[in-house]
Amino acid sequence: MNAIISASDLAGALAGANPPVLLDVRWQLSLAAAAGEPPFDGRAAYGAGHLPGAVFVDLDRELASAPGGRGRHPLPDLAVFGAAMRRAGVSSGRPVVVYDGGPGWGAARAWWLLRWTGHPDVRVLDGGLPSWEGPLETSVPQPAEGDFVPVPGADGLLDADGAAALARSGVLLDARAGERYRGEVEPIDRVGGHVPGAVSAPTTENVGADGRFLPAGELGARFKELGVSQGVPVGVYCGSGVSGAHEVLALAVAGIPAALYVGSWSEWSSDPERPVAVGPDPQ
């Protein structure tokens, strides 16, 4: 099953016999709070206009637990996550489509969580809200309660030790901007740099200027150049497990399974005992 869906195909699915549940995960990485300014308000953006029938999901409160030693966006409490999904109408027997306002990071986090916890049919709207040419609405829907109960998968999740091991035995991709990987700048975390052995692979290079994913063949060629090959395990991390989920999604589009280190650099760099590499060389 494809992990993404075009706006035109979504319009057709919404008019079909079993329309998908729509989740709006408007979220942006924002440094405003550090500067004492109001951060991006996804709920307000949702209220100003959203896809008909879409339910807002709060990434910081429902797709993550409170920041701390496990990073800025650690895994959510599964009871909280499950309740949020059922409130939005998510059921195991009904497809789900997730979108955001761009660049797709928030939607990918919801996609990854739903897939990792057992939902069989989840896709991300390719290009997000800007790709949608249909009408928007401002009313808040009240969907019937869903029945989805999240059950964590046995695979697909890395902790810090697992990420360190994968950097030696497989391919560990760093989805952040190259300057953060190299340690030239670090606007958020304690120290700049990367996990020793990780390969720089900014997730922004997986999409075109319109915010849509590159064709599967182009993505596959890109990841091959980064060292990904058949049979070699692949993992991804970023700053806090959000943009990294977008890279896992890009890998899925290319037909490549990958695990996500959810704690990511925000967890790794908070531990002074963890080694840090800087510069363009993985080591």
Side-chain angles (χ1 to χ4, degrees):
M1 184 192 70
N2 202 342
I4 57 176
I5 185 172
S6 68
S8 59
D9 285 348
L10 175 58
L14 290 172
N18 187 31
V21 173
L22 290 177
L23 304 181
D24 184 311
V25 192
R26 228 80 66 89
W27 178 88
Q28 291 181 12
L29 177 64
S30 175
L31 305 180
E37 301 173 2
F40 173 78
D41 189 340
R43 192 177 295 277
Y46 167 84
H50 53 83
L51 267 63
V55 176
F56 179 73
V57 176
D58 190 318
L59 187 149
D60 290 318
R61 293 177 174 82
E62 296 172 325
L63 304 183
S65 52
R70 294 182 297 128
R72 284 193 310 280
H73 291 104
L75 287 173
D77 180 283
L78 288 183
V80 172
F81 172 63
M85 294 300 98
R86 291 188 293 274
R87 171 187 60 81
V90 174
S91 293
S92 296
R94 187 176 173 189
V96 177
V97 172
V98 192
Y99 72 91
D100 58 26
W105 297 357
R109 171 74 175 216
W111 167 85
W112 181 84
L113 274 168
L114 281 164
R115 293 291 293 161
W116 179 65
T117 56
H119 198 287
D121 190 351
V122 190
R123 286 177 286 178
V124 170
L125 174 59
D126 194 19
L129 186 62
S131 71
W132 179 254
E133 297 181 352
L136 300 178
E137 67 179 22
T138 57
S139 60
V140 178
Q142 299 294 326
E145 182 86 358
D147 63 15
F148 178 68
V149 177
V151 178
D155 301 311
L157 178 67
L158 294 171
D159 59 12
D161 289 339
L166 188 59
R168 297 188 299 269
S169 64
V171 178
L172 181 65
L173 301 176
D174 185 318
R176 299 172 300 160
E179 58 268 26
R180 291 186 70 192
Y181 169 89
R182 295 187 296 271
E184 297 166 357
V185 298
E186 183 44 64
I188 308 174
D189 294 313
R190 184 184 67 85
V191 63
H194 58 269
V195 175
V199 178
S200 180
T203 199
T204 52
E205 297 179 14
N206 294 319
V207 298
D210 59 2
R212 293 178 173 88
F213 281 103
L214 300 176
E218 291 184 28
L219 288 171
R222 181 191 184 219
F223 292 123
K224 183 177 181 180
E225 290 180 357
L226 293 170
V228 175
S229 59
Q230 187 173 7
V232 175
V234 180
V236 181
Y237 75 95
C238 57
S240 64
V242 180
S243 67
H246 189 263
E247 185 124 297
V248 173
L249 176 58
L251 285 154
V253 172
I256 303 166
L260 178 65
Y261 172 26
V262 173
S264 285
W265 190 247
S266 59
E267 178 187 39
W268 183 280
S269 63
S270 69
D271 183 353
E273 298 299 318
R274 295 279 177 190
V276 172
V278 296
D281 190 295
Q283 301 300 332

